[in-house]
Amino acid sequence: MRSELVYQAGLKIENRFLLAATAMRAARKLHVSSTRTEDTVNRVFSEVASGTRVFGKLPEITPPPAIDVLLISPAA
């Protein structure tokens, strides 16, 4: 069942957004047009869960830009 595969893969890649992005990229690369897309996605999740393929890397975290002080002048 796919929910079990997603859960097991989530133990390897804890960030859900990164897991989804990794699964999408891997499915695009590994998909063969003669097979069902569902089977490819299941294979990707099972390979991530087993640890044989972990495609994703965490992006560099950059701090947000500083917010300038808002200057409010009274209306005339």
Side-chain angles (χ1 to χ4, degrees), residues 20-33 35 37 40-41 43-44 47 53-57:
T22 300
M24 286 185 291
R25 282 191 212 120
R28 284 187 197 131
K29 288 183 180 181
L30 296 177
H31 183 65
V32 178
S33 61
T35 61
T37 306
T40 303
V41 172
R43 193 176 96 205
V44 166
E47 288 184 4
R53 295 186 187 202
V54 179
F55 296 101
K57 294 180 184 175

Side-chain angles (χ1 to χ4, degrees), residues 13-26:
I13 302 176
E14 295 178 0
N15 184 334
R16 288 184 284 180
F17 178 78
L18 184 60
L19 176 61
T22 300
M24 286 185 291
R25 282 191 212 120

Side-chain angles (χ1 to χ4, degrees), residues 7 11-13 15 34 40 51 60 62 66 68:
Y7 175 75
L11 295 176
K12 296 289 182 179
I13 302 176
N15 184 334
S34 63
T40 303
E60 287 290 324
T62 57
D68 294 333

Side-chain angles (χ1 to χ4, degrees), residues 57-71:
K57 294 180 184 175
L58 288 174
E60 287 290 324
I61 298 175
T62 57
I67 299 175
D68 294 333
V69 178
L70 180 61
L71 300 176

